Amino acid sequence: MATSPRTNLLQRTLEDDDIALGVLENAYDPTLVEFYGELGLDFVWIDLEHAGPSPFDGDRLEDLARAANVTGTELLVRLPEPDPGMVRKILDAGVRSLFVSRIETADEVHQAVEASRFEYDGEPGKRGFASPRASRWGTTDDYAGTEDDEIVVGVTIENPTAVDNIEEILAVPDLGFVFAGPLDLAVSLGHPGEPTHDEVESHVEEVREAALEADVPLGGLGFGMDNVNEKAESGYQILNLGSTTGALGGAVRSWLNEYEGS
């Protein structure tokens, strides 16, 4: 008996013009992914650019995706570059939402999004057809006909060239969202470690305004809950609240500070 197609809950949130809240799970632990889902987060960010397993490690990615599926949250996987092979591998493991780093042009964005689709912009896409976990090992009803509707592919805007090309990038068909990356923008602008530098904030604001004008969902980092609330009010739809190590560090430090022993 065939099973029903998958449903991308993050995509539904964006389509409803709601705000998705998530956490960077930088311990890469399926138990913590499941726990964050139980806590009610809309997504769990898995960053494969700076650490974690290889983007080609299908077994690890399948385990993380299963943990998300159990509790109804979505994995949001960041890839280190717009490599079509990486995009296909991640999606075949059962991930439905991803975003790509190190892009500068609309052509690079087009390449990444096209790799995620069986049909793209009225033409054949570049997604490979197989029977992986994404198709529930070949049991999903009309896999090729429904999969494209459940995939979200975004890109990180993290260098001045991408900001200069932002209008062309936002016009790429089926682009799921843009994620304004102030930390890497700070590096590329010569202000490493200064995400609130005036020049960095000016570039981020340019991305924000362009995304809202193009009606493309916008993602970003929250630097404390006041900042999260401000960004939610200013049009951001995907907001990262913090990280596993940040949350644990804050909790343990507070316990040590309250310790009254000798």
Side-chain angles (χ1 to χ4, degrees):
M1 179 181 295
T3 56
S4 60
R6 304 181 299 159
T7 298
N8 187 331
L9 300 177
L10 176 60
Q11 182 190 56
R12 298 292 179 270
T13 299
L14 299 180
E15 289 177 345
D16 291 341
D17 291 327
D18 288 335
I19 296 169
L21 302 178
V23 165
L24 171 64
E25 207 307 88
N26 53 355
Y28 303 92
D29 188 298
T31 299
L32 288 172
V33 171
E34 184 178 352
F35 180 54
Y36 284 134
E38 294 287 5
L39 291 174
L41 291 175
D42 299 296
F43 68 89
V44 179
W45 176 4
I46 300 293
D47 189 343
L48 302 184
E49 179 182 12
H50 296 296
S54 164
F56 294 105
D57 188 344
D59 290 343
R60 288 287 303 279
L61 292 166
E62 285 185 6
D63 286 344
L64 291 164
R66 286 189 189 96
N69 295 155
V70 166
T71 52
T73 190
E74 291 287 340
L75 283 194
L76 178 57
V77 176
R78 177 160 74 169
L79 298 181
E81 58 185 283
D83 181 311
M86 282 186 194
V87 171
R88 289 188 285 265
K89 183 72 172 181
I90 292 291
L91 295 178
D92 282 353
V95 173
R96 294 174 286 212
S97 301
L98 61 87
F99 61 126
V100 178
S101 296
R102 306 293 173 183
I103 64 96
E104 294 187 341
T105 67
D107 285 343
E108 291 172 325
V109 177
H110 187 281
Q111 175 179 263
V113 181
E114 184 181 40
S116 74
R117 297 300 202 275
F118 291 114
E119 296 183 27
Y120 183 64
D121 198 24
E123 301 290 337
K126 296 295 179 66
R127 179 87 182 264
F129 191 87
S131 298
R133 182 174 183 274
S135 71
R136 300 179 188 175
W137 296 277
T139 68
T140 298
D141 187 30
D142 193 21
Y143 173 53
T146 60
E147 180 73 354
D148 288 356
D149 294 334
E150 300 299 330
I151 298 302
V152 174
V153 176
V155 293
T156 309
I157 306 299
E158 54 192 353
N159 59 72
T161 303
V163 176
D164 289 343
N165 293 327
I166 189 62
E167 291 185 5
E168 292 85 357
I169 288 170
L170 290 165
V172 171
D174 293 320
L175 176 63
F177 64 91
V178 292
F179 193 99
L183 295 173
D184 285 325
L185 264 172
V187 173
S188 64
L189 290 167
H191 311 293
E194 300 181 64
T196 59
H197 189 283
D198 288 347
E199 188 177 12
V200 177
E201 290 192 334
S202 175
H203 279 69
V204 170
E205 179 61 16
E206 186 174 344
V207 173
R208 186 189 75 85
E209 291 178 354
L212 295 181
E213 177 67 24
D215 197 27
V216 173
L218 173 66
L221 301 174
F223 298 101
M225 289 311 299
D226 286 344
N227 183 253
V228 167
N229 290 325
E230 289 172 6
K231 284 178 174 171
E233 288 291 326
S234 68
Y236 284 77
Q237 281 189 263
I238 301 173
L239 284 165
N240 188 67
L241 305 179
S243 68
T244 293
T245 53
L248 287 173
V252 172
R253 279 192 293 270
S254 71
W255 296 340
L256 293 174
N257 290 337
E258 294 175 16
Y259 174 60
E260 297 179 355
S262 58

